[in-house]
Short mmCIF file of all heavy atoms in Angstrom, two decimals:
data_model
loop_
_atom_site.label_atom_id
_atom_site.label_comp_id
_atom_site.label_asym_id
_atom_site.label_seq_id
_atom_site.Cartn_x
_atom_site.Cartn_y
_atom_site.Cartn_z
N ASP W 173 1.33 -8.61 -2.63
CA ASP W 173 2.73 -8.37 -2.31
C ASP W 173 3.63 -8.46 -3.54
O ASP W 173 4.09 -7.44 -4.09
CB ASP W 173 3.16 -9.38 -1.24
CG ASP W 173 4.55 -9.12 -0.71
OD1 ASP W 173 5.11 -8.05 -1.01
OD2 ASP W 173 5.09 -9.98 0.04
N ASN W 174 3.89 -9.68 -4.04
CA ASN W 174 4.87 -9.83 -5.12
C ASN W 174 4.38 -10.78 -6.22
O ASN W 174 5.18 -11.49 -6.82
CB ASN W 174 6.20 -10.32 -4.55
CG ASN W 174 6.09 -11.70 -3.91
OD1 ASN W 174 4.99 -12.18 -3.63
ND2 ASN W 174 7.23 -12.32 -3.65
N ARG W 175 3.08 -10.80 -6.46
CA ARG W 175 2.51 -11.59 -7.55
C ARG W 175 1.80 -10.61 -8.48
O ARG W 175 0.73 -10.09 -8.14
CB ARG W 175 1.56 -12.64 -7.01
CG ARG W 175 1.04 -13.62 -8.07
CD ARG W 175 0.61 -14.91 -7.37
NE ARG W 175 -0.08 -15.88 -8.19
CZ ARG W 175 0.49 -16.68 -9.10
NH1 ARG W 175 1.78 -16.56 -9.32
NH2 ARG W 175 -0.23 -17.55 -9.78
N GLN W 176 2.39 -10.36 -9.64
CA GLN W 176 1.89 -9.31 -10.53
C GLN W 176 0.66 -9.75 -11.29
O GLN W 176 0.62 -10.81 -11.91
CB GLN W 176 2.98 -8.91 -11.53
CG GLN W 176 2.58 -7.77 -12.45
CD GLN W 176 2.37 -6.47 -11.70
OE1 GLN W 176 3.29 -5.98 -11.04
NE2 GLN W 176 1.18 -5.90 -11.79
N ASP W 177 -0.36 -8.93 -11.22
CA ASP W 177 -1.59 -9.16 -11.98
C ASP W 177 -2.02 -7.84 -12.59
O ASP W 177 -1.24 -6.88 -12.65
CB ASP W 177 -2.68 -9.74 -11.06
CG ASP W 177 -3.62 -10.69 -11.79
OD1 ASP W 177 -4.29 -10.25 -12.74
OD2 ASP W 177 -3.66 -11.88 -11.42
N ARG W 178 -3.27 -7.77 -13.04
CA ARG W 178 -3.85 -6.53 -13.55
C ARG W 178 -5.07 -6.20 -12.70
O ARG W 178 -5.77 -7.10 -12.23
CB ARG W 178 -4.26 -6.67 -15.02
CG ARG W 178 -3.11 -6.96 -15.95
CD ARG W 178 -3.63 -7.12 -17.37
NE ARG W 178 -4.19 -5.87 -17.89
CZ ARG W 178 -5.05 -5.80 -18.91
NH1 ARG W 178 -5.49 -6.91 -19.48
NH2 ARG W 178 -5.49 -4.63 -19.34
N TYR W 179 -5.35 -4.89 -12.58
CA TYR W 179 -6.43 -4.45 -11.70
C TYR W 179 -7.04 -3.18 -12.27
O TYR W 179 -6.31 -2.24 -12.60
CB TYR W 179 -5.91 -4.16 -10.28
CG TYR W 179 -4.66 -4.93 -9.91
CD1 TYR W 179 -3.39 -4.42 -10.20
CD2 TYR W 179 -4.74 -6.19 -9.30
CE1 TYR W 179 -2.24 -5.11 -9.88
CE2 TYR W 179 -3.58 -6.90 -8.98
CZ TYR W 179 -2.34 -6.36 -9.27
OH TYR W 179 -1.19 -7.06 -8.96
N LEU W 180 -8.34 -3.16 -12.39
CA LEU W 180 -9.03 -1.99 -12.91
C LEU W 180 -10.16 -1.62 -11.97
O LEU W 180 -11.02 -2.46 -11.65
CB LEU W 180 -9.60 -2.27 -14.31
CG LEU W 180 -10.38 -1.12 -14.96
CD1 LEU W 180 -9.46 0.06 -15.24
CD2 LEU W 180 -11.06 -1.59 -16.24
N LYS W 181 -10.18 -0.38 -11.53
CA LYS W 181 -11.24 0.12 -10.65
C LYS W 181 -12.16 1.03 -11.45
O LYS W 181 -11.72 1.91 -12.19
CB LYS W 181 -10.63 0.89 -9.48
CG LYS W 181 -11.68 1.46 -8.51
CD LYS W 181 -11.02 2.26 -7.41
CE LYS W 181 -12.06 2.89 -6.49
NZ LYS W 181 -11.44 3.75 -5.45
N LEU W 182 -13.47 0.82 -11.29
CA LEU W 182 -14.48 1.68 -11.89
C LEU W 182 -15.38 2.21 -10.78
O LEU W 182 -15.84 1.43 -9.93
CB LEU W 182 -15.34 0.94 -12.91
CG LEU W 182 -14.64 0.44 -14.17
CD1 LEU W 182 -14.14 -0.99 -14.00
CD2 LEU W 182 -15.58 0.51 -15.37
N VAL W 183 -15.63 3.51 -10.77
CA VAL W 183 -16.49 4.12 -9.75
C VAL W 183 -17.79 4.58 -10.39
O VAL W 183 -17.84 4.89 -11.60
CB VAL W 183 -15.78 5.29 -9.05
CG1 VAL W 183 -14.52 4.81 -8.36
CG2 VAL W 183 -15.47 6.42 -10.02
N ASN W 184 -18.84 4.64 -9.59
CA ASN W 184 -20.15 5.14 -10.03
C ASN W 184 -20.62 4.46 -11.31
O ASN W 184 -21.05 5.12 -12.26
CB ASN W 184 -20.10 6.66 -10.23
CG ASN W 184 -19.77 7.40 -8.94
OD1 ASN W 184 -20.19 7.00 -7.87
ND2 ASN W 184 -18.98 8.45 -9.06
N CYS W 185 -20.55 3.15 -11.34
CA CYS W 185 -20.99 2.39 -12.52
C CYS W 185 -22.13 1.45 -12.09
O CYS W 185 -21.96 0.23 -12.05
CB CYS W 185 -19.84 1.63 -13.16
SG CYS W 185 -18.91 0.57 -12.03
#
Side-chain angles (χ1 to χ4, degrees):
D173 187 10
N174 62 345
R175 187 156 171 76
Q176 184 66 58
D177 213 299
R178 298 178 66 201
Y179 334 89
L180 179 65
K181 180 182 177 183
L182 294 92
V183 300
N184 299 324
C185 53

